[in-house]
Amino acid sequence: MVTTDDIWKLLEGVPDPEIPVLSILDLGIVRDVTLEENSCTITITPTYSGCPAMKYIEEEIERTLSASISLPLEVKTVLSPAWTTDWISESGRSKLKDYGIAPPENEVDKSVLFAEPTVVPCPRCDSSDTKMVSQFGSTACKAQYQCNQCHEPFDYFKCLK
Amino acid sequence: MEEKKALFEYLLRLGDDSLILGQRLSEWCGHGPILEEDIAMTNIALDLIGQATNLFEYASSLGVDKRSADELAFVRYEKDYRNLLLVEQENTDFGYTLARQFLFDAFRKPFFEALSQSSDQQLAAIAEKSLKETKYHLQHSSEWMIRLGDGTDESHERIQQAVNQLWAYTEEIFEQDQIDQQLIQAGIAVDLSVIRASWTKQVQAVFSEAGIDLPQNTWQQKGGRQGKHTEHMGYLLAEMQFMQRAYPQMEW
Ligand SMILES: [Zn+2]
């Protein structure tokens, strides 16, 4: 007999396609798992409106789960409550750092004009002496930074609130 | 009008604003003045096209007609698009693109803030999601307005020119008709007269920091919401619709 715990365990094995060290659970985009006698529904939420990975994630969830359980599966997408970077788990944050991506810092509200840019420590040498190169990076969820100490460029998983 | 029909129309307007501006920004892909800005503009384009997808999927799900989200986006005729004239204006140069973006972002942020309180739950959810992205867009375009306005003589001249020309499309942003009124009554739509003050405040704050003069021209061009577009729209659609016209019903 399959339990919801089993399903959550299986979902741990589904990676985020853009940051494969993170599972979709680390990323915090799985909202709900419901198990009924004859069906199983997984509810997910996108990180950004235009996130191109959602379709792929849906398929990966179906592929992973259908290998172990025989119930008909439905993957549902909801927009509310909207995902924020607070949904990233603690282990997700440390995996990001180990991977060379600075995890999200608590930033001031974006609507404050001319605010000081957030201090983002370098994921390699931990120096706080870093600079933002661009608010927009290789994917919708990242910004580009550079470390003034070790001079490495790095991605920053930007705060979304 | 039946409420569902009014909502369908309203969703097309919002979706078209996002889609057409997203298409315009995507034209910069591979042509940005610097790599970081090339990436920034295509990221913003992606957010906008994602918003359009959410809005069109919702519109399609209402069952007002049989068109899918893709059909709504790609196989309507020009007169059936409802976007603001502002968003279809050509990219021209980097400053012009950023001025267009800024005038739109400064509207979209307070708009989505208000829309996230809509009595329609799905619309409120789309707005809540879009708002988070829009804050980044507005910060980006505001900073560039200041950088260009307060930069060299050349950049100042160009950004001021861009603002002067685009100003003719700003009055239309706050126009409301029967459909707006009906949906405002129902607690679904945003009363644009209420958020206008936020737009004006943001525009004035950034212009003053940037040393950009508020344009004095009073000539205003309108008609986008009724499907009367400027001469640039046809070329944009030709490019955007090519695949669906050449290979009807194709899927990725
Ligand atoms: Zn470093």
Side-chain angles (χ1 to χ4, degrees):
Chain A
M1 193 62 199
V2 190
T3 66
T4 47
D5 281 355
D6 297 333
I7 293 172
W8 283 105
K9 271 240 157 59
L10 288 167
L11 290 172
E12 245 164 55
V14 180
D16 171 59
E18 282 170 347
I19 309 170
V21 287
L22 291 189
S23 78
I24 56 174
L25 296 192
D26 290 325
L27 195 58
I29 62 168
V30 180
R31 278 290 148 79
D32 196 25
V33 172
T34 44
L35 198 53
E36 279 166 40
E37 220 168 300
N38 283 313
S39 68
C40 173
T41 309
I42 317 296
T43 307
I44 56 175
T45 192
T47 52
Y48 281 75
S49 297
C51 177
M54 289 309 285
K55 188 83 200 136
Y56 178 85
I57 290 172
E58 243 173 70
E59 286 166 10
E60 275 302 289
I61 291 175
E62 279 167 12
R63 206 181 54 81
T64 306
L65 295 187
S66 61
S68 315
I69 55 175
S70 52
L71 286 173
L73 291 168
E74 196 201 345
V75 182
K76 220 169 63 180
T77 301
V78 295
L79 293 175
S80 182
W83 180 87
T84 70
T85 34
D86 290 344
W87 289 77
I88 299 176
S89 69
E90 269 310 311
S91 83
R93 293 177 61 87
S94 61
K95 284 183 199 167
L96 275 173
K97 185 169 182 280
D98 293 344
Y99 193 56
I101 299 173
E105 296 290 329
N106 242 327
E107 288 182 37
V108 291
D109 190 345
K110 283 281 149 287
S111 44
V112 182
L113 259 191
F114 321 123
E116 284 293 307
T118 314
V119 176
V120 177
C122 172
R124 293 178 188 276
C125 73
D126 293 318
S127 165
S128 313
D129 184 13
T130 62
K131 62 167 189 253
M132 185 176 76
V133 178
S134 173
Q135 191 69 270
F136 297 88
S138 57
T139 66
C141 56
K142 295 190 222 99
Q144 301 173 62
Y145 271 73
Q146 188 174 16
C147 179
N148 291 326
Q149 280 301 313
C150 71
H151 302 294
E152 280 290 331
F154 63 91
D155 273 339
Y156 165 53
F157 200 117
K158 67 194 183 198
C159 173
L160 193 72
K161 285 262 163 110
Chain B
M1 192 186 289
E2 196 195 333
E3 189 168 289
K4 210 156 75 168
K5 274 210 165 118
L7 177 59
F8 180 79
E9 193 60 32
Y10 191 66
L11 290 167
L12 288 193
R13 293 176 182 185
L14 307 188
D16 286 348
D17 283 350
S18 293
L19 175 71
I20 300 301
L21 188 56
Q23 173 70 19
R24 272 291 181 231
L25 286 176
S26 73
E27 291 170 13
W28 276 104
C29 187
H31 301 276
I34 50 171
L35 184 59
E36 286 78 11
E37 283 311 306
D38 197 295
I39 293 169
M41 285 191 283
T42 40
N43 260 291
I44 296 167
L46 185 64
D47 287 340
L48 288 165
I49 290 167
Q51 293 166 9
T53 308
N54 288 336
L55 290 159
F56 290 146
E57 276 175 359
Y58 184 33
S60 175
S61 75
L62 291 174
V64 170
D65 65 29
K66 290 200 170 64
R67 286 175 289 179
S68 68
D70 275 348
E71 285 168 328
L72 288 172
F74 294 123
V75 290
R76 271 180 289 153
Y77 292 115
E78 179 180 310
K79 65 174 174 36
D80 299 322
Y81 281 87
R82 300 285 184 243
N83 56 280
L84 296 169
L85 300 178
L86 176 68
V87 299
E88 73 198 40
Q89 298 309 303
E90 291 182 302
N91 287 337
T92 313
D93 60 24
F94 182 67
Y96 201 87
T97 297
L98 261 302
R100 184 187 64 202
Q101 192 67 33
F102 170 68
L103 293 170
F104 184 73
D105 292 340
F107 156 64
R108 263 299 172 91
K109 182 178 158 270
F111 177 78
F112 280 138
E113 274 165 354
L115 192 66
S116 61
Q117 305 300 314
S118 171
S119 64
D120 183 287
Q121 286 192 352
Q122 182 63 9
L123 196 51
I126 295 171
E128 190 197 348
K129 185 84 228 158
S130 307
L131 173 62
K132 297 182 191 306
E133 299 150 6
T134 305
K135 287 180 182 176
Y136 272 105
H137 303 172
L138 177 60
Q139 190 185 42
H140 173 255
S141 58
S142 297
E143 284 174 0
W144 271 107
M145 291 302 283
I146 294 160
R147 213 169 281 140
L148 295 172
D150 194 24
T152 63
D153 288 347
E154 166 104 22
S155 73
H156 175 81
E157 176 66 21
R158 286 214 202 182
I159 198 74
Q160 181 69 60
Q161 279 293 333
V163 166
N164 292 349
Q165 287 175 32
L166 290 165
W167 201 252
Y169 306 107
T170 51
E171 196 62 37
E172 184 189 31
I173 299 173
F174 301 99
E175 269 216 316
Q176 307 197 102
D177 65 7
Q178 286 280 297
I179 290 173
D180 292 282
Q181 296 302 349
Q182 182 184 345
L183 295 174
I184 289 167
Q185 290 278 315
I188 296 171
V190 173
D191 187 345
L192 299 176
S193 63
V194 174
I195 61 159
R196 185 165 190 160
S198 302
W199 180 80
T200 307
K201 199 172 144 213
Q202 176 81 14
V203 168
Q204 283 174 346
V206 169
F207 280 13
S208 102
E209 190 76 17
I212 297 170
D213 296 325
L214 216 56
Q216 297 303 316
N217 52 329
T218 51
W219 165 253
Q220 290 289 329
Q221 185 75 43
K222 300 172 186 173
R225 295 286 188 235
Q226 290 79 41
K228 285 180 272 179
H229 294 280
T230 57
E231 66 271 31
H232 310 299
M233 185 68 171
Y235 298 96
L236 179 146
L237 291 181
E239 172 93 17
M240 187 179 81
Q241 297 189 340
F242 170 77
M243 291 299 270
Q244 280 298 328
R245 297 291 184 189
Y247 306 95
Q249 319 277 314
M250 74 158 296
E251 281 188 41
W252 224 225

